[in-house]
Amino acid sequence: MSQVPERGIEEAAARSASLTGGGAGRVGRETVRHEHSGGITWITLDRPEALNAIDAAQRDRLISLLRQASADPQTRVVVLTATGRGFCTGADLRPKPGSAPPPAPGPGDVARTIRDGAQALIAAVLDCEKPVIAAVNGIAAGIGAHLALACDLVIAAESATFIEIFARRGLVPDGGGAYLLARLVGVHKAKELIYFADDVPAVEALALGLANRVVPDAGLEKAAREWAERLAVGPTRAFALAKNLVNRALEVDRATAFREEADAVELNTATADAKEGMRAFTERRPPEFTGR
């Protein structure tokens, strides 16, 4: 693993500050775009001049869109991606030029900010009842890396890089970083990534299990769309129940896991898709799932 040059990140952040007035997006421009088609909701971070560092407003917008997608029966899969050279380089906390410095935090303020901010964003991905695909187009650092790793499937462009950047700033990982990494790569490797804060190129991320696929940069959208289209015609409720079981698997004992599995199977049996799947099997034809 090699160190990614931080100058590019810092210079992009500086350019962003001059264009946006600190953490806010450019006036008149939507910096978190979304569209829906064919059962797929695409959510795109669109502030490439800042390598898609996110401010509080963008973070809250992401949370809202993920929660909407989770509840929307017309959405059967979510794709999370970004424009430019950065997927997301973390939280954009720069104050607006000329604004007064924030007051010193009181007891509990920092913990509350983390709970309501970074942790709420990662929880929105983990708790979304639809499969979420991350299409990682460039640098994913800090909370940006955790945003990708919280997704159910991760497709990385060859130029993508994952960075646990916190130690470079003297910080503790937030946004569920330790929780996610320990589950994805194991305790010892998680500590290595956190302590050294080295960059992890896409090919290495694939070998570690941080990504499912690595594709050429030009093929990232096509690869994400292919997987999204397959999931969009699948049994959506079964996916939701399976996602919950997998997310819980490392948190509960065997007896609890087996009980929750049995409950999930029973719940799923009542869905229209489960009934259609069994009919299609007996009739020897492909199933036509509706997501119900």
Side-chain angles (χ1 to χ4, degrees):
M1 292 186 290
S2 60
Q3 290 282 347
V4 72
E6 292 193 41
R7 182 174 298 175
I9 297 177
E10 300 297 342
E11 287 178 349
R15 288 196 300 273
S16 172
S18 65
L19 287 168
T20 67
R26 286 190 289 186
V27 175
R29 172 179 162 193
E30 179 61 70
T31 57
V32 180
R33 296 188 287 105
H34 73 103
E35 57 183 277
H36 178 85
S37 177
I40 306 169
T41 290
W42 290 78
I43 302 175
T44 305
L45 295 173
D46 188 19
R47 198 152 67 103
E49 68 279 359
L51 297 181
N52 292 302
I54 56 172
D55 60 22
Q58 291 172 296
R59 179 202 65 217
D60 291 346
R61 179 63 172 154
L62 281 171
I63 293 170
S64 176
L65 288 172
L66 286 162
R67 289 175 177 170
Q68 289 175 29
S70 183
D72 178 16
Q74 301 305 314
T75 294
R76 298 175 69 180
V77 60
V78 177
V79 179
L80 184 59
T81 191
T83 58
R85 297 183 300 110
F87 175 77
C88 176
T89 54
D92 186 351
L93 303 176
R94 291 182 305 279
K96 295 181 181 180
S99 62
D109 287 348
V110 173
R112 188 180 308 107
T113 298
I114 294 298
R115 286 196 302 270
D116 295 342
Q119 290 178 353
L121 174 58
I122 300 308
V125 179
L126 294 172
D127 295 341
C128 182
E129 295 183 19
K130 312 298 166 61
V132 183
I133 300 172
V136 183
N137 53 295
I139 300 170
I143 188 64
H146 302 166
L147 181 62
L149 299 180
C151 293
D152 301 300
L153 299 167
V154 179
I155 303 176
E158 289 177 341
S159 63
T161 306
F162 299 82
I163 317 170
E164 281 298 312
I165 203 166
F166 297 92
R168 299 189 196 178
R169 309 287 190 257
L171 302 175
V172 173
D174 61 33
Y179 175 92
L180 293 167
L181 286 171
R183 284 158 173 74
L184 291 169
V185 301
V187 171
H188 285 146
K189 195 65 181 183
K191 290 175 182 176
E192 177 188 337
L193 296 176
I194 291 170
Y195 291 169
F196 293 110
D198 290 336
D199 60 311
V200 181
V203 173
E204 186 174 349
L206 178 64
L208 288 174
L210 297 176
N212 296 89
R213 290 182 64 190
V214 174
V215 299
D217 288 19
L220 180 63
E221 181 179 348
K222 180 175 182 291
R225 188 174 297 279
E226 287 175 350
W227 272 14
E229 288 174 347
R230 289 179 63 184
L231 292 171
V233 295
T236 310
R237 297 309 306 159
F239 289 156
L241 291 164
K243 175 175 180 173
N244 184 63
L245 289 176
V246 174
N247 286 351
R248 292 269 293 161
L250 296 179
E251 302 173 4
V252 300
D253 58 34
R254 185 181 68 179
T256 302
F258 277 22
R259 183 176 65 252
E260 292 181 355
E261 176 189 273
D263 290 343
V265 171
E266 180 171 356
L267 286 170
N268 189 66
T269 301
T271 66
D273 281 346
K275 295 172 182 177
E276 164 61 11
M278 293 307 298
R279 281 196 303 269
F281 174 75
T282 58
E283 296 170 8
R284 299 183 180 181
R285 60 173 175 80
E288 296 181 5
F289 297 124
T290 61
R292 308 270 181 178

